[in-house]
Amino acid sequence: MSTLLLEIVTPERKVYAQEVNMVSVKGADGELGILPNHIPLVTPLRIAPVIVKKNGETEKIAVSGGFIEIRKDKVVILAESAELASDIDIARAEAAKKRAEERLAAKQSDIDTVRAELALQRALNRININK
Ligand code: ATP
């Protein structure tokens, strides 16, 4: 089965670099299923899991926004943050979720509300990745 190289990079580190069979992401315009030889494309990503299929196994990586660049045999995800499911600290994500919900309940300024909503999305993405 043919493969493509998937790299997931954050400002801090390279989180992932492996030959995989398929990548599925949530782009700004909807879900994208990417196989080798996909047409070239650059698009923003939502806060959502990146799903990877490799040798019949499925792996999920929590990605918090950024961009995806698709080339014929390589996909690069430049993410604001990204964690492998096994690296996620669930207690930390639960605490972040609680903080964000409290901020949303407090009905602060619009800017604070947007920030809290994004923090909530990141926390839920991390919590749901292992479910
Ligand atoms: P927190 O409020 O807990 O810091 P956050 O959503 O504000 O959460 P980010 O700014 O997205 O955190 O990420 C900061 C760094 O911490 C990144 O390197 C990210 O991968 C890591 N990180 C954030 N939350 C978790 C978590 N629950 N488990 C593991 N790593 C995490």
Side-chain angles (χ1 to χ4, degrees):
M1 199 174 183
S2 58
T3 62
L4 57 85
L5 175 64
L6 171 64
E7 287 188 358
I8 303 178
V9 183
T10 72
E12 291 163 8
R13 66 201 173 97
K14 190 174 273 191
V15 176
Y16 195 93
Q18 286 192 41
E19 291 288 335
V20 306
N21 303 117
M22 187 184 166
V23 186
S24 170
V25 300
K26 206 179 224 182
D29 300 323
E31 302 275 346
L32 268 176
I34 305 149
L35 294 165
N37 292 313
H38 194 282
I39 48 160
L41 183 76
V42 175
T43 191
L45 291 179
R46 293 183 192 276
I47 298 170
V50 168
I51 299 164
V52 179
K53 295 229 162 90
K54 187 187 168 186
N55 300 331
E57 304 216 334
T58 302
E59 191 176 1
K60 287 190 197 169
I61 299 136
V63 168
S64 300
F67 288 86
I68 185 167
E69 182 191 10
I70 304 170
R71 290 190 243 150
K72 258 171 76 147
D73 53 3
K74 186 173 176 182
V75 169
V76 180
I77 292 175
L78 295 171
E80 282 151 37
S81 67
E83 302 90 36
L84 304 178
S86 56
D87 288 339
I88 291 174
D89 177 342
I90 293 291
R92 177 176 167 180
E94 293 282 4
K97 172 175 176 270
K98 189 159 174 276
R99 274 197 311 277
E101 284 170 342
E102 283 165 2
R103 286 193 194 121
L104 288 171
K107 295 216 188 326
Q108 296 156 324
S109 70
D110 288 352
I111 292 174
D112 288 342
T113 299
V114 170
R115 283 183 57 179
E117 275 167 0
L118 291 172
L120 181 59
Q121 281 183 34
R122 292 195 298 275
L124 291 173
N125 189 33
R126 289 171 177 135
I127 291 164
N128 290 332
I129 207 107
N130 283 306
K131 286 185 179 163

